[in-house]
Amino acid sequence: MKLLILGATGPTGRRLVELALRAGDQVTALVRNPAGLGDLADQVTVVMGDATSHRDVSAALAGQDAVVSALGRGASVVADDLFMRASAALIAAVEETGVSRVVWLSSFGVGHTLSWASVPQKVIYRTLLRSIYADKEIADDAVRASGLDWTVVYPTRLTHGQAKGTYRADDRLPMKGNPTISRADVAAFMHEAVHGSEWIGRSAVISD
């Protein structure tokens, strides 16, 4: 599969790139700083640009089979409209290029998934993460309303642990406490989802 990955230099995106390469995919990474790819840079097609730019995303998306977004804000709790702007750029680009398959990374607690969170989780989501989660909700809704072959992924708290391969994934997955999932397992789910049809038009909540 010819696969465009957004957020390829991030901790989840790098794992996704590694998985895709091992699976034999032809990977294109749209990045602002190619150095962030490290030793992966020589194994992918690198396109320098901004994921919030319609023009840049369109250029990188041309000729691809699908796009996976693993964009994130890192340790920042300031949204800066990143996800809203990136979703708008992506939707315009996929409509222009005719690439309809999109897998989009969000977070558990955003939008409709907030109702399944525990009380302690809701406190964090409504305070510390309020700005980012509001931005993500706008972006997620835009992706779902796009008419494309979308999948929106809602992982619980991300860790840097090894992939377990035993995570749970469902449209509805109520939580207790503060569950986690490794970025490696999230990447594995997203890679599997983009290669299949099971999750098209569905919002996947995933957790250990």
Side-chain angles (χ1 to χ4, degrees), residues 135-148:
D135 185 35
K136 286 189 174 187
E137 182 174 6
I138 293 171
D140 297 353
D141 287 346
V143 171
R144 277 192 290 266
S146 66
L148 301 169

Side-chain angles (χ1 to χ4, degrees), residues 10-11 71-77 82-83 129 132 183:
L71 293 169
R73 291 294 292 154
S76 175
V77 294
L82 168 66
F83 303 101
L129 299 176
I132 287 180
R183 295 179 184 276

Side-chain angles (χ1 to χ4, degrees), residues 18-36:
E18 291 168 354
L19 277 174
L21 290 172
R22 287 202 298 269
D25 293 327
Q26 297 179 41
V27 178
T28 297
L30 175 63
V31 296
R32 287 179 296 178
N33 180 14

